[in-house]
Amino acid sequence: MQQAIQVRTEQLGASHPSVAFIQLLLAPILMEMRRMEDVEETIRAASMNLQFAYGRKSAHMSSVLRIQGLVLRDQGSYEKAWAVLQEALDIDVSNREWTEEFFKNEDYERHGITETLQVAEDLEALGRVQYRRGNYKVAAAMLERMRSLVMSIFGEKGEHPMIARAKVGLADIRLEAGSYPQAHDLCKEGLEMQLKILGNRHPHVLRTMYQYVRILELCGDHEQALKWCTDTKDGWLYNLAPTSTQVLIVQAHIAMLRYILGENKLPKRAIIKCLIAVEADLVKRGTGVHAEPDDAEVQKALDGGKKNKKGKAKPAEAKTKVGAAAERDDGQKHTSVLARVYWQLVGWLASVDLIQFQTGLASARMRMSAEAYRRMGSVGVPLAAECTTRLGAIASAKGRLVVAKRDFEKALEVKQGSFWGKDHPEMLEDIQVRGPRWLSSCAV
């Protein structure tokens, strides 16, 4: 792509629209490579040329706005992302009335196939923004409409990457709501379609595979989860270096799954190595460029971190930056995917600490995770409550049964008041398993 831009620039000049069209194709590739500064520079140049050639409201500008919206989404600026993507949608539907009729589920005049697919892409991007913000009902409505538009072109049994992405997006929402069987079926259908169309090395397919691993794990099928997790790692190794953050995340998950299945020792080293890489990515604002953590760095983390002169643990400087990643400078709370991965890893590490009966470390990690989830807004509320539940388990292991009972009741109340509601599977586990065990222990 870059060579094509160079050749076309030499032939026609940097301001020719054909150069901008190639830049629009290059920008998503740069996004996959996490080269966000290059994405912004590329899309800025394309925007200037297309506006000069066709005007701000031309159909070509919707592609520019869609990429700009996705960049803003990944930066956590969801209000700005929503406004930019809404502008793209308005351009693609040509007039405001079409948009209003569509969102009211009224009859509307569908445009040509190209224009309809552009509208579907806008709806998908808007739905993903709402998903990140925790507005799952709005996100589901957007993705359902996106799927219906694409199916109106390719048929109910049609196979298209956008239909697959809609299924996977709806699976994500069902998963957050605790509807694990529905999430499993939707994700499996979307994954099978993606594998058939795109193969097993495409980044979209690999992300779906990893989401399927998460669903299988929640459904209790750890053997299948390990199989798909291994396949995901092999796919990422085809695209990325072994030291890349994405590969290390999957490797840490594999180590955790093998430990659960009794095939491996405690996965502490793999988790900490991944934590160091993710932390570096968060501090560098998602550039994906970091040095491979050496064995000394990993061993230092295994030993509990750096020590100050008094021999007490000294928190790493990056911890503050990681925590701050949950809230933007403008005060808008958001859910960073990488930040959620980071705190999930911290939770795994706390579980390992508890197995080794290092209850002090386990409690500290859980409290840090809970505070980080609280700063994520409504999306993080039940996750913070789940940390409180685990703190209750730690208190129970230490024999502090009254504290365990208090933590359990507090967590249960918060979860019931969150978007999880009273029927979420995690809630049922609290009520049917954890609660009676702790309450009976306290009664004794």
Side-chain angles (χ1 to χ4, degrees):
M1 288 291 180
Q2 290 173 329
Q3 187 176 357
I5 291 173
Q6 183 179 353
V7 171
R8 195 60 63 91
T9 300
E10 292 173 353
Q11 292 175 343
L12 303 173
S15 61
H16 196 275
S18 62
V19 176
F21 294 145
I22 302 174
Q23 288 171 329
L24 288 179
L25 296 174
L26 174 62
I29 298 173
L30 295 173
M31 286 186 70
E32 292 290 350
M33 299 172 68
R34 305 305 300 166
R35 292 168 54 181
M36 304 311 292
E37 291 182 1
D38 291 338
V39 173
E40 293 181 12
E41 182 181 347
T42 301
I43 207 66
R44 191 183 304 116
S47 177
M48 290 176 60
N49 292 339
L50 291 174
Q51 283 190 66
F52 180 78
Y54 302 105
R56 175 73 180 178
K57 296 297 182 181
S58 71
H60 300 300
M61 281 302 297
S62 70
S63 298
V64 174
L65 292 168
R66 190 157 47 247
I67 295 173
Q68 288 176 336
L70 294 175
V71 171
L72 289 167
R73 180 201 67 182
D74 289 346
Q75 292 174 344
S77 301
Y78 294 138
E79 290 293 341
K80 293 178 182 178
W82 178 263
V84 170
L85 292 169
Q86 183 65 57
E87 185 178 355
L89 178 62
D90 290 343
I91 291 174
D92 286 332
V93 299
S94 300
N95 61 74
R96 191 76 183 178
E97 289 74 23
W98 196 95
T99 310
E100 292 174 354
E101 290 170 359
F102 182 75
F103 280 102
K104 290 178 182 177
N105 286 323
E106 296 176 0
D107 293 335
Y108 58 88
E109 179 184 356
R110 196 183 75 201
H111 292 211
I113 291 178
T114 301
E115 292 83 356
T116 302
L117 290 177
Q118 286 180 324
V119 170
E121 288 183 357
D122 295 333
L123 289 171
E124 179 187 18
L126 286 164
R128 281 296 183 176
V129 169
Q130 293 300 326
Y131 172 77
R132 293 278 187 91
R133 297 182 70 182
N135 298 331
Y136 298 125
K137 289 184 179 179
V138 178
M142 293 280 184
L143 291 171
E144 286 285 8
R145 291 186 175 109
M146 170 242 185
R147 182 170 66 165
S148 67
L149 269 184
V150 180
M151 289 175 66
S152 70
I153 298 173
F154 300 103
E156 292 187 4
K157 296 184 179 180
E159 294 183 342
H160 189 274
M162 293 187 69
I163 296 177
R165 293 206 304 269
K167 287 178 179 288
V168 174
L170 290 168
D172 293 344
I173 295 169
R174 299 290 189 274
L175 184 64
E176 296 292 347
S179 301
Y180 297 160
Q182 293 180 26
H184 176 274
D185 293 345
L186 282 167
C187 190
K188 185 179 180 182
E189 290 173 10
L191 177 57
E192 289 174 347
M193 194 178 297
Q194 285 182 326
L195 286 168
K196 185 176 180 180
I197 299 169
L198 303 173
N200 62 354
R201 292 175 176 175
H202 193 283
H204 290 173
V205 180
L206 295 173
R207 277 192 283 272
T208 302
M209 287 170 68
Y210 193 57
Q211 182 68 343
Y212 190 48
V213 169
R214 183 184 172 204
I215 294 172
L216 286 168
E217 193 173 8
L218 289 170
C219 291
D221 193 346
H222 293 97
E223 291 183 357
Q224 280 297 308
L226 177 58
K227 173 190 173 299
W228 283 102
C229 205
T230 305
D231 291 346
T232 305
K233 184 197 73 172
D234 294 341
W236 280 124
L237 284 173
Y238 178 81
N239 293 283
L240 303 172
T243 57
S244 64
T245 303
Q246 192 63 54
V247 173
L248 291 175
I249 289 170
V250 179
Q251 285 178 337
H253 205 153
I254 289 173
M256 195 71 184
L257 286 168
R258 283 179 174 166
Y259 171 73
I260 291 171
L261 291 170
E263 300 176 6
N264 199 10
K265 296 180 180 179
L266 285 172
K268 197 167 189 176
R269 183 178 293 272
I271 294 171
I272 290 176
K273 188 172 183 178
C274 183
L275 267 172
I276 293 170
V278 173
E279 187 174 71
D281 257 12
L282 285 166
V283 172
K284 293 180 180 179
R285 299 181 182 274
T287 59
V289 180
H290 60 275
E292 181 183 10
D294 57 26
D295 290 339
E297 219 174 353
V298 174
Q299 188 59 50
K300 188 183 295 180
L302 283 169
D303 293 338
K306 300 178 181 179
K307 303 288 183 179
N308 60 22
K309 292 181 179 180
K310 296 182 179 180
K312 296 182 179 179
K314 183 166 61 176
E317 178 185 352
K319 287 290 189 295
T320 304
K321 298 179 181 178
V322 172
E327 189 166 350
R328 304 300 301 176
D329 294 336
D330 57 8
Q332 180 184 351
K333 295 180 179 179
H334 77 286
T335 304
S336 164
V337 173
L338 201 57
R340 286 186 69 169
V341 170
Y342 180 89
W343 294 110
Q344 181 187 29
L345 290 165
V346 173
W348 286 353
L349 204 53
S351 299
V352 174
D353 290 334
L354 186 57
I355 291 168
Q356 295 179 318
F357 213 75
Q358 296 177 334
T359 54
L361 269 177
S363 296
R365 296 191 207 280
M366 275 296 110
R367 293 186 192 284
M368 288 170 58
S369 298
E371 183 58 32
Y373 285 133
R374 289 189 191 99
R375 289 199 296 268
M376 292 180 184
S378 60
V379 175
V381 169
L383 300 176
E386 184 63 18
C387 291
T388 305
T389 299
R390 295 185 184 183
L391 284 168
I394 295 169
S396 178
K398 294 167 69 174
R400 301 173 64 186
L401 302 180
V402 175
V403 175
K405 179 177 180 292
R406 183 195 64 199
D407 286 344
F408 163 72
E409 291 175 340
K410 180 181 177 182
L412 192 62
E413 181 181 358
V414 172
K415 291 175 188 177
Q416 287 178 337
S418 72
F419 66 86
W420 276 12
K422 297 183 178 181
D423 298 326
H424 195 281
E426 298 293 335
M427 300 284 298
L428 296 175
E429 185 178 357
D430 283 346
I431 294 170
Q432 296 174 0
V433 181
R434 296 171 181 164
R437 184 179 68 239
W438 292 352
L439 290 174
S440 61
S441 299
C442 291
V444 174

